[in-house]
C-alpha cells in the first residue's frame, strides 16, 4: 500500500501465529520462536532480524499483528516522517 511517500508492505500467514511473549524476541538474531504446538520452526533465526535492520537503516520500522482467524501479519513501513 502506498500513500504519498509512505509505503507499507504486508506479509500475512495462517499458521499458529506468534505468542505474545515471543513478539520482540523473534526480531533478535538467532532467535526462533516456538509455535503454539511447542515445536521450533526451521531456519537459523536471522530473517526477521535482517528485515528489521534493513527497515531501520532506511528510517522505517516493522510491526507484528495477529491475523484474523489465526496467524500473524508483519508490516514493513518505509518513507514516513518520524516525530
Amino acid at each position: 500500500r502506498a500513500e504519498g511517500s509512505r509505503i507499507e508492505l504486508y506479509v500475512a500467514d495462517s499458521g499458529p501465529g506468534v505468542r505474545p511473549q515471543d513478539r520482540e524476541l523473534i526480531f533478535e538474531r538467532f532467535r526462533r520462536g516456538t509455535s503454539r504446538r511447542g515445536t521450533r520452526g526451521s531456519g537459523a533465526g536471522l530473517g526477521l532480524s535482517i528485515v528489521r535492520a534493513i527497515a531501520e537503516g532506511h528510517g522505517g520500522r516493522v510491526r507484528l499483528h495477529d491475523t484474523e482467524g489465526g496467524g500473524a501479519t508483519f508490516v514493513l513501513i518505509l518513507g514516513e516522517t518520524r516525530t
Side-chain angles (χ1 to χ4, degrees):
R1 178 170 89 173
E3 186 175 311
S5 64
R6 178 183 169 123
I7 297 171
E8 297 179 358
L9 173 68
Y10 293 78
V11 178
D13 71 28
S14 59
V18 179
R19 300 179 320 167
Q21 61 267 34
D22 291 337
R23 291 190 178 184
E24 279 302 311
L25 296 176
I26 62 171
F27 290 101
E28 294 177 6
R29 290 186 311 160
F30 305 110
R31 281 290 186 138
R32 298 185 314 171
T34 303
S35 77
R36 294 194 172 147
R37 293 180 295 246
T39 60
R40 288 204 177 272
S42 62
L46 289 172
L48 291 174
S49 66
I50 292 170
V51 168
R52 180 171 269 179
I54 291 171
E56 291 176 352
H58 290 278
R61 58 194 170 121
V62 178
R63 296 288 181 246
L64 168 62
H65 306 283
D66 289 329
T67 299
E68 189 173 324
T73 299
F74 292 86
V75 184
L76 170 65
I77 303 167
L78 297 172
E80 68 181 350
T81 304
R82 292 187 166 235
T83 55

